[in-house]
Amino acid sequence: MKFLRLSAFFLSLVSLCLISCEENDDPAELSPADKEVQEVIEELEKIPEISDFTEELKKVSIPDVETNQLTVFAVKNQELKVRSEVSENQLNQENIKRHIARGAYSIDELKDSLLLTSVSNEPLLVTNQNSIVAINGIPIETTGMKIGNSYMYIVPEVIPVNESIDSIPSTTDKEAIISVKRCNTNWSVMDSVQGRPIEGAEVTVYTADGKTLGVYYTDANGEVSVKHNEPEISYTAISGDSLSNIYDGFMVEGLFTSQVEIDSWPSYIISTPKPGDLKFADINGDGVIDNNDKVNGIPQRYIRYADGETLKNSVVYLTSNSVVPSNDWAQMLQSQKDEWNKQLKSFLNLTREIDAKLIGYIEVPNMFNSNYFNQWGENIWNSGYGLINSYLQANDKFANSDDCPENVKSEWATASLRMQAECALIYSELSKFFGEVSVINDITGQMPSRNNDALVDYMNYLINMLPSEYSTAVSALVSRIYLSDREYDRALDQCKKIMSTGNYSLPADSSLVFSQKNGNNVILGGYDDSDFKYAKGLYYHPVRYCEIMFTAAEAALETGRTMEAYEYINQTRLFRGYPPIENGLTQDELRRVLWNTWNNEMLLESATYFNLRRWGIYVASMPDAQNKHQLLPIPTDAMKENPNLTQNPGY
């Protein structure tokens, strides 16, 4: 199911380049390892002495390997030729996988006796004697090259099977699912999850006798699957340079989620915990949490199997190693701003990726016959409302606390101006996926009924209160709501107010749209987009001036102001180098020109799913879609906790 099918729905009337034809031949989504291998190959092609290895590597497929961090041992050409008559030492599709280890290891990390695991599940023993590093006895000739997330080394010959170590069994009778989550620092009654999955966390697994079973990296769900034959395994988990399950020396077991849980936990001597605080392990088992429970380093967590058990699940919660003193208001404010920016970027990445999946641009097999919609609804809802609640709690802390110094209060007042505009943006994004939304005004945790009138009232309050650099962005978001509710006159009026300021325009050079952080085309944006895999450039702008032109065009067209609609549509086409549309089209023909131009311009900007639903063509455009799929379902937990909420139709 490709997004190209959507464009075919329109292009019978107007020929536009919605998506390049080559996308029709896109392969299925590659595994993280396959994608990483492709990036490695690009660099290996620049090294003539390993060209034979590179050509063989191009044929490799490792669809079941979820890590995107690898260590590649490339074999030199001349040695391949010398040994080519010895069949067991020829490089082929079987043994080349032995030259790709799971995990990215720098030369300093290749310690003596370290046991690596290849992507073909074969053991690779590292020896490091007299500064000579070898893999299964074959010395490494280089100090390593960093490529993407991986490392590459050159070896003089094919790495043999290690006969001294039993191969890691291809069939195993036990499995451990290890989930790695980051503690939810914005925990509240509304956002009550203890933690959220971490992708790419490093999990090192050990056998009962302390040998390394393997190094794994969590998938998008924050999980690794470890298959083995051991009666007991242990593991450690870290993410980046700062996240572990140790906080100020205490081993973290998650978060307290209720007073009942606190009362049943070993007594805290070090502090008085409350719901949302970190839960520490009673290491010495004396029934109290005190300084005697502190540990050095990162202790291993154990998974033990009873007789007959084959599957075990384990969850580890990671948090920052740093400790922010509760009375250091300036540092707390900086941490709050950093966390807000990080979580907002994550939310915007999430909405764009799910939008692309909902329209078929990113192919998801059996999308409409699965639980995907429930999962996507839960992810967007929890992320969006978690941010809203985070802002409300921070505002209560920094603006209303008598203990907060005046200079910090002043800094918060300035920072919160943009945050409030971003809260309006979050509500607008939520409305794209759920229809009407609940506007929360306090930190009680209860949501009122979903109502777009309340949302417009909230945004109008912000427009009157915020400085123009942010109030204009909120005005643009109000025009979205009016357009969604088919209040075309109000939507057009809102757009004309923005146009009349003279502060915004379409760029003369369309290539600059996403390469510049600021510009006359940016109403709210400038977000670094380097970590979004479907980014259109260096920066993401959630509210752009071209959307104002599109909104004005649709509002004018649907209210019979056809010539005005022509003007707005042609401005957006000319700035992209498309020829203008000549007069004489029927309203329906002009409508479809607008649809194509809009979707082409704002693909991968969390706009298309909302557009197709508003235009009433989502179900017709997407095979197997039903009417209910025009909105995402409200999460079940949110419905239980907030009786004022009503579920979207069909769920």
Side-chain angles (χ1 to χ4, degrees):
M1 178 172 54
K2 296 290 183 187
F3 183 76
L4 195 59
R5 297 177 183 175
L6 299 177
S7 61
F9 185 81
F10 305 132
L11 294 182
S12 58
L13 291 175
V14 182
S15 176
L16 292 172
C17 181
L18 181 59
I19 295 177
S20 173
C21 296
E22 285 82 8
E23 293 204 48
N24 194 41
D25 297 321
D26 274 354
E29 183 77 8
L30 296 174
S31 72
D34 278 328
K35 290 179 181 178
E36 187 69 11
V37 167
Q38 289 186 352
E39 185 171 349
V40 169
I41 288 172
E42 290 180 9
E43 293 301 317
L44 298 193
E45 287 182 321
K46 302 174 185 178
I47 307 175
E49 65 177 328
I50 56 172
S51 59
D52 290 347
F53 178 88
T54 304
E55 289 304 311
E56 198 69 31
L57 188 62
K58 290 178 181 178
K59 306 172 189 176
V60 167
S61 175
I62 41 180
D64 298 327
V65 178
E66 292 298 323
T67 180
N68 66 347
Q69 298 187 345
L70 305 170
T71 302
V72 177
F73 302 101
V75 184
K76 291 170 67 173
N77 292 346
Q78 62 268 31
E79 296 299 336
L80 289 174
K81 292 172 183 175
V82 169
R83 304 177 67 97
S84 61
E85 296 180 1
V86 185
S87 60
E88 61 267 26
N89 289 313
Q90 287 181 331
L91 198 66
N92 54 51
Q93 282 299 291
E94 290 304 316
N95 60 29
I96 193 172
K97 294 182 180 180
R98 191 185 307 142
H99 296 72
I100 309 171
R102 301 170 189 258
Y105 295 88
S106 68
I107 193 69
D108 293 333
E109 293 172 316
L110 294 175
K111 305 293 186 182
D112 190 48
S113 301
L114 176 66
L115 184 64
L116 308 181
T117 304
S118 74
V119 296
S120 55
N121 224 30
E122 296 179 85
L124 300 172
L125 180 63
V126 179
T127 54
N128 191 336
Q129 302 292 332
N130 300 319
S131 300
I132 298 176
V133 180
I135 308 298
N136 285 1
I138 304 300
I140 291 174
E141 294 188 348
T142 58
T143 56
M145 174 189 293
K146 187 75 162 67
I147 304 175
N149 299 310
S150 302
Y151 282 93
M152 186 280 294
Y153 301 90
I154 295 178
V155 294
E157 58 186 278
V158 172
I159 295 174
V161 174
N162 194 319
E163 302 290 351
S164 64
I165 303 176
D166 291 335
S167 295
I168 300 171
S170 58
T171 58
T172 54
D173 62 2
K174 294 183 180 67
E175 180 179 12
I177 305 295
I178 300 172
S179 300
V180 183
K181 300 184 178 184
R182 179 169 187 166
C183 288
N184 180 11
T185 56
N186 297 317
W187 186 93
S188 68
V189 175
M190 277 174 28
D191 185 14
S192 59
V193 295
Q194 291 192 59
R196 292 192 165 86
I198 301 176
E199 182 176 4
E202 180 180 295
V203 180
T204 305
V205 183
Y206 305 91
T207 62
D209 56 2
K211 293 181 179 178
T212 302
L213 188 62
V215 179
Y216 304 80
Y217 294 86
T218 53
D219 60 19
N221 296 317
E223 295 181 346
V224 297
S225 170
V226 182
K227 296 181 179 180
H228 61 96
N229 287 313
E230 303 292 324
E232 174 185 299
I233 61 174
S234 61
Y235 70 92
T236 59
I238 58 174
S239 179
D241 296 327
S242 62
L243 296 183
S244 73
N245 67 323
I246 299 299
Y247 184 90
D248 194 25
F250 293 96
M251 189 164 77
V252 175
E253 295 290 338
L255 301 180
F256 289 115
T257 58
S258 68
Q259 188 60 45
V260 172
E261 187 177 12
I262 294 173
D263 294 341
S264 64
W265 198 257
S267 300
Y268 270 53
I269 303 300
I270 55 173
S271 63
T272 302
K274 60 184 182 300
D277 285 350
L278 294 175
K279 187 194 310 179
F280 298 141
D282 181 14
I283 295 294
N284 60 9
D286 63 357
V288 296
I289 305 297
D290 57 19
N291 288 332
N292 293 321
D293 293 302
K294 289 190 174 185
V295 297
N296 295 318
I298 301 176
Q300 297 175 21
R301 301 177 71 86
Y302 288 85
I303 301 176
R304 298 179 175 91
Y305 294 79
D307 290 342
E309 274 192 307
T310 59
L311 177 65
K312 298 283 282 189
N313 292 279
S314 181
V315 181
V316 59
Y317 293 93
L318 308 188
T319 188
S320 172
N321 295 322
S322 61
V323 179
V324 179
S326 60
N327 61 350
D328 191 340
W329 285 92
Q331 190 172 350
M332 283 196 291
L333 176 56
Q334 187 58 52
S335 297
Q336 178 69 43
K337 292 192 292 185
D338 291 344
E339 186 66 19
W340 171 268
N341 292 331
K342 178 179 179 180
Q343 295 303 324
L344 179 63
K345 278 184 59 179
S346 177
F347 174 73
L348 295 175
N349 290 354
L350 177 69
T351 57
R352 286 185 287 168
E353 183 166 346
I354 291 179
D355 174 85
K357 291 176 178 178
L358 286 165
I359 64 173
Y361 181 82
I362 300 175
E363 188 169 0
V364 179
N366 301 315
M367 179 171 72
F368 298 107
N369 300 312
S370 67
N371 199 39
Y372 285 115
F373 275 66
N374 290 327
Q375 176 187 324
W376 294 337
E378 182 176 335
N379 290 346
I380 292 177
W381 183 279
N382 289 340
S383 179
Y385 277 109
L387 274 164
I388 297 292
N389 193 63
S390 170
Y391 168 77
L392 293 172
Q393 290 183 328
N395 189 61
D396 185 62
K397 176 167 62 177
F398 293 108
N400 300 329
S401 174
D402 293 335
D403 296 328
C404 183
E406 288 302 319
N407 65 314
V408 175
K409 284 189 176 183
S410 177
E411 185 180 348
W412 168 254
T414 300
S416 69
L417 296 175
R418 183 179 178 99
M419 287 184 184
Q420 290 179 81
E422 289 169 334
C423 283
L425 171 65
I426 293 165
Y427 280 125
S428 177
E429 291 295 303
L430 289 168
S431 71
K432 291 179 180 180
F433 295 93
F434 299 101
E436 293 190 315
V437 298
S438 296
V439 178
I440 307 170
N441 295 313
D442 54 50
I443 58 175
T444 61
Q446 284 298 307
M447 293 184 176
S449 300
R450 297 191 293 149
N451 188 309
N452 273 0
D453 290 339
L455 179 56
V456 171
D457 289 344
Y458 164 75
M459 290 187 176
N460 282 331
Y461 161 76
L462 293 180
I463 291 170
N464 293 325
M465 184 269 294
L466 293 175
S468 60
E469 61 179 312
Y470 301 128
S471 63
T472 304
V474 181
S475 294
L477 299 173
V478 170
S479 72
R480 283 185 191 172
I481 305 301
Y482 283 147
L483 200 63
S484 177
D485 291 344
R486 292 178 171 77
E487 295 190 44
Y488 298 117
D489 287 328
R490 288 185 171 182
L492 184 57
D493 180 62
Q494 206 76 25
C495 291
K496 287 183 175 180
K497 287 179 180 178
I498 296 172
M499 296 176 192
S500 67
T501 66
N503 296 328
Y504 303 97
S505 62
L506 297 173
D509 184 351
S510 61
S511 67
L512 299 179
V513 172
F514 301 104
S515 63
Q516 293 184 335
K517 186 173 184 178
N518 301 300
N520 290 343
N521 64 305
V522 180
I523 299 178
L524 181 64
Y527 299 98
D528 173 41
D529 220 14
S530 59
D531 60 350
F532 184 55
K533 58 184 174 182
Y534 303 103
K536 299 170 76 171
L538 298 176
Y539 299 98
Y540 176 50
H541 313 302
V543 186
R544 294 200 282 137
Y545 186 63
C546 71
E547 183 184 354
I548 299 303
M549 305 298 290
F550 288 133
T551 300
E554 181 172 330
L557 183 60
E558 298 304 329
T559 52
R561 288 168 269 200
T562 306
M563 297 310 297
E564 198 172 337
Y566 269 108
E567 178 185 348
Y568 299 135
I569 294 171
N570 281 334
Q571 285 188 53
T572 63
R573 290 176 60 78
L574 288 171
F575 118 88
R576 279 299 183 186
Y578 300 147
I581 299 299
E582 300 294 334
N583 297 348
L585 296 180
T586 66
Q587 184 187 42
D588 190 55
E589 290 171 339
L590 186 57
R591 181 182 290 126
R592 292 173 187 274
V593 171
L594 171 62
W595 292 353
N596 277 283
T597 308
W598 195 332
N599 283 344
N600 182 39
E601 176 62 33
M602 299 194 68
L603 178 66
L604 295 174
E605 296 183 57
S606 183
T608 312
Y609 177 61
F610 171 58
N611 284 346
L612 297 180
R613 181 183 76 245
R614 189 177 70 255
W615 298 333
I617 58 174
Y618 180 72
V619 175
S621 304
M622 302 296 294
D624 302 323
Q626 303 172 24
N627 284 333
K628 71 175 185 178
H629 294 129
Q630 296 182 91
L631 294 170
L632 296 184
I634 309 298
T636 302
D637 288 345
M639 295 286 295
K640 290 178 180 178
E641 295 167 4
N642 300 279
N644 292 322
L645 296 179
T646 55
Q647 185 58 274
N648 280 325
Y651 294 104

